[in-house]
C-alpha cells in the first residue's frame, strides 16, 4: 500500500493536507485547506498509479481519470459535491472537491442498530427523495452519468440535513 501524505504537505502550492479521511487500494482521500481561498476546506482524492502497469496502461488510466474529472467538474446539483480542480503531481492524479462534513448513512444505521432502534421512516423517505433528485440529475446529463457504487457508506448526511452522494470513483 502506498504511503499516505503527511499533515502539512502542500500540493500544487495551494492545498494544505490536514488529515486523511479514507484510504483504499487505489488511493486516498484527504481533508485539506485551500490556501488561496481562506476558510475553504476541501476534499482531495488521490489516485495512485499501478507500479506494475505498462506505460500504455498508465497513459490509459490517466486519460480515464481526466475524463471522469472533467465529467464531475461540470456537474452542479445540491446533493453532489462540487469538483473544483484536478492536477497531477509526483505521478499521482488528484481531484479537488467540496469537503462534505457529517456522517455517512452506514454509520447512522449502525448506530441505531447498536441501540436496537430503527431510523425514522419519514426522515429516510426525505433522504431517498434527495438521493432520487441527484440520480435524476446525473441520468439527465448528455451522456448520462452513472455512479455505479451507491451504498450507505457513499451517502453522507450534512449537519444541515442535506444528503450528498459521494465517492464517484466508479463513475461511468
Amino acid at each position: 500500500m502506498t504511503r499516505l501524505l503527511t499533515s502539512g504537505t502542500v500540493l500544487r502550492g495551494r492545498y494544505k493536507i490536514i488529515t486523511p479521511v479514507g484510504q483504499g487500494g487505489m488511493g486516498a482521500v484527504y481533508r485539506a485547506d485551500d490556501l488561496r481561498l481562506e476558510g475553504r476546506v476541501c476534499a482531495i482524492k488521490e489516485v495512485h498509479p499501478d507500479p506494475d502497469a505498462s506505460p500504455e496502461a498508465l497513459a490509459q488510466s490517466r486519460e480515464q481519470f481526466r475524463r471522469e474529472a472533467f465529467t464531475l467538474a461540470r456537474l452542479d446539483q445540491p446533493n453532489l459535491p462540487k469538483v473544483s480542480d484536478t492536477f497531477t503531481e509526483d505521478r499521482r492524479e488528484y481531484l479537488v472537491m467540496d469537503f462534505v462534513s457529517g456522517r455517512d448513512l452506514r454509520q447512522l444505521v449502525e448506530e441505531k442498530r447498536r441501540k436496537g432502534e430503527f431510523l425514522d421512516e419519514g426522515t429516510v423517505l426525505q433522504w431517498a427523495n434527495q438521493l432520487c433528485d441527484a440520480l435524476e440529475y446525473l441520468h439527465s446529463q448528455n451522456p448520462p452519468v452513472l455512479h455505479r457504487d451507491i451504498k450507505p457508506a457513499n451517502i453522507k448526511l450534512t449537519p444541515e440535513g442535506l444528503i450528498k452522494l459521494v465517492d464517484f470513483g466508479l463513475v461511468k
Side-chain angles (χ1 to χ4, degrees), residues 9 34 69 93 122 144:
T9 299
D34 185 333
E93 303 290 335

Side-chain angles (χ1 to χ4, degrees), residues 15 34 90 97:
Y15 305 106
D34 185 333
D90 295 328
M97 63 197 89

Side-chain angles (χ1 to χ4, degrees), residues 103-168:
R103 298 187 301 164
D104 66 52
L105 296 191
R106 178 188 47 81
Q107 293 168 319
L108 295 173
V109 167
E110 287 175 357
E111 180 182 297
K112 287 290 190 179
R113 185 179 294 143
R114 281 192 301 274
K115 295 178 180 177
E117 300 173 355
F118 294 97
L119 293 168
D120 174 71
E121 179 182 1
T123 302
V124 172
L125 289 173
Q126 290 173 357
W127 296 343
N129 192 42
Q130 291 181 51
L131 182 59
C132 286
D133 288 345
L135 295 174
E136 180 180 23
Y137 173 80
L138 290 170
H139 298 172
S140 71
Q141 299 303 297
N142 188 15
V145 176
L146 305 178
H147 186 282
R148 301 193 325 161
D149 195 24
I150 297 173
K151 59 187 179 184
N154 288 341
I155 303 168
K156 290 193 81 169
L157 177 65
T158 69
E160 298 79 30
L162 193 62
I163 287 294
K164 294 272 189 175
L165 181 59
V166 299
D167 196 357
F168 280 76

Side-chain angles (χ1 to χ4, degrees), residues 6-11 14-19 31-35 42 44:
T6 58
S7 179
T9 299
V10 177
L11 298 172
R14 178 173 182 175
Y15 305 106
K16 184 177 180 181
I17 300 299
I18 300 170
T19 186
R31 182 179 177 142
D33 284 326
D34 185 333
L35 300 176
C42 52
I44 299 182

Side-chain angles (χ1 to χ4, degrees), residues 87-101:
F87 59 94
T88 303
E89 193 169 297
D90 295 328
R91 294 184 32 144
R92 296 179 184 184
E93 303 290 335
Y94 293 93
L95 186 65
V96 182
M97 63 197 89
D98 294 339
F99 180 80
V100 180
S101 59

